[in-house]
Amino acid sequence: MSDQSQNRSSKPFLRWAGGKNWLIKYLPDLINDLDFNDYHEPFFGGGSVFFALSPDRAILSDINEELINTYVEVRDNVESVIGVIDEWGVNEKQYYAIRAEEPDDAIRRAARFIYLNRTSFNGIYRVNRKGQYNVPYGKKDGYRFDFQRIRLASDALQGAALFVRSFEESLKDVKAGDLVFLDPPYTVAHNNNGFIEYNKKLFSLEDQFELKKCIDAITELGAFYILTNAHHEVIDELFSRGSIKLSVSRSSTLGGKSARRGSTQEYIFTNIPHARIGE
């Protein structure tokens, strides 16, 4: 049984494209009074759902090594990470000096990641062909970091195991009675989502088919899942079989010069009994 943590005030401390803050208000209706054991999130990103639930035990992973290093150091060495960030001012010259660094120290790497994430243009994570972060400054002179939010996130991460690995590897750890939240990069164009072409390189349509196999295996084990995905007929056809399908309309606020703002529809698939979308 999942004995949920009393720390309900933790929130994401990173900005992340495709984040699921919009989903938080729906979680009570999706999960209902479900008792679950371990929590799994193999596309961790900004971690909105994890921080909202604050489960006592979690297995969290992502293919982004710098992202996972940041969470590990925030979990294990939060005051050291904060101390490094606090030494840096926020201005254009400082930003590009830190962006040019290639630190070996894990704590400084984590501090650099958070600094660049919060002060870059729209918080986009993008690297060049050499693997170097190349997002421009976000014109945030004098920005003040919310160190208390980072400390609360550290508290929430104390019961979490963190890994750099594929979703296929991560889902091998799922056991009966566990809860899995899946938020893959969207592959197919839907509602003019400006990040689709970028995400194609991260998560192909073939990956979506592989994800469907993993979901079927989760159900066979007697575990529970929630999947968010693009509102598209290919996704509908692939994931509707054996799932409860829900549709939600939300505001689209993606950044970038090709971004389009307005209303976006997304699918939610789950095998949690009586799951619904409330108002």
Side-chain angles (χ1 to χ4, degrees):
M1 178 180 295
S2 176
D3 179 18
Q4 299 304 313
S5 167
Q6 294 302 307
N7 177 21
R8 298 288 181 176
S9 57
S10 60
K11 296 178 181 178
F13 59 90
L14 297 173
R15 299 186 292 168
W16 207 252
K20 288 298 176 284
N21 278 324
W22 62 265
L23 185 64
I24 303 308
K25 66 180 179 180
Y26 299 119
L27 287 178
D29 286 333
L30 284 170
I31 296 178
N32 292 300
D33 57 354
L34 180 73
D35 286 331
F36 60 90
N37 298 323
D38 292 349
Y39 173 85
H40 302 255
E41 191 168 343
F43 303 98
F44 193 47
S48 295
V49 172
F50 165 78
F51 287 116
L53 293 176
S54 290
D56 287 337
R57 299 189 308 276
I59 296 92
L60 312 171
S61 60
D62 200 280
I63 60 171
N64 187 323
E65 183 178 355
E66 291 301 312
L67 176 73
I68 294 300
N69 175 73
T70 298
Y71 283 120
V72 168
E73 295 307 318
V74 165
R75 180 193 65 190
D76 298 345
N77 299 295
V78 65
E79 294 304 328
S80 295
V81 172
I82 287 173
V84 174
I85 298 171
D86 203 28
E87 294 174 357
W88 295 328
V90 179
N91 55 67
E92 187 169 6
K93 182 178 180 180
Q94 180 80 84
Y95 176 87
Y96 285 110
I98 293 169
R99 197 185 77 167
E101 287 189 12
E102 295 182 359
D104 294 325
D105 178 73
I107 290 173
R108 193 172 181 89
R109 281 169 57 204
R112 175 180 178 270
F113 190 96
I114 295 169
Y115 179 95
L116 295 176
N117 175 266
R118 299 304 307 187
T119 61
S120 67
F121 178 72
N122 280 326
I124 299 167
Y125 184 83
R126 186 185 66 205
V127 296
N128 61 23
R129 291 182 179 179
K130 296 180 180 179
Q132 299 165 327
Y133 187 80
N134 65 354
V135 180
Y137 181 55
K139 301 187 186 304
K140 292 199 169 190
D141 286 20
Y143 175 83
R144 296 178 65 86
F145 289 86
D146 188 344
F147 292 137
Q148 185 59 18
R149 178 178 283 211
I150 298 174
R151 291 186 179 102
L152 289 171
S154 177
D155 291 343
L157 288 163
Q158 291 308 303
L162 289 150
F163 301 98
V164 179
R165 61 188 184 186
S166 68
F167 72 91
E168 295 99 330
E169 279 298 310
S170 294
L171 293 177
K172 291 177 182 178
D173 289 336
V174 177
K175 302 178 296 296
D178 288 353
L179 173 63
V180 186
F181 175 62
L182 301 151
D183 179 33
Y186 294 172
T187 301
V188 292
H190 75 305
N191 290 1
N192 297 318
N193 186 322
F195 277 84
I196 292 305
E197 289 187 10
Y198 173 69
N199 283 340
K200 272 183 183 177
K201 300 173 184 177
L202 297 178
F203 204 76
S204 67
L205 190 57
E206 288 75 19
D207 289 326
Q208 295 276 12
F209 281 93
E210 187 62 33
L211 180 58
K212 171 58 175 171
K213 294 178 184 176
C214 292
I215 284 175
D216 290 343
I218 289 169
T219 299
E220 282 280 318
L221 282 170
F224 305 97
Y225 70 86
I226 299 170
L227 164 70
T228 57
N229 218 320
H231 195 283
H232 189 277
E233 60 185 11
V234 173
I235 297 300
D236 185 3
E237 181 179 354
L238 179 59
F239 291 102
S240 286
R241 297 189 301 274
S243 298
I244 297 169
K245 180 182 72 175
L246 306 164
S247 184
V248 62
S249 181
R250 65 173 182 86
S251 296
S252 176
T253 56
L254 291 171
K257 66 180 182 180
S258 64
R260 302 167 178 86
R261 297 172 187 268
S263 180
T264 298
Q265 283 189 300
E266 301 199 21
Y267 280 133
I268 300 171
F269 301 95
T270 183
N271 65 346
I272 299 174
H274 312 299
R276 64 187 183 89
I277 291 292
E279 294 299 325

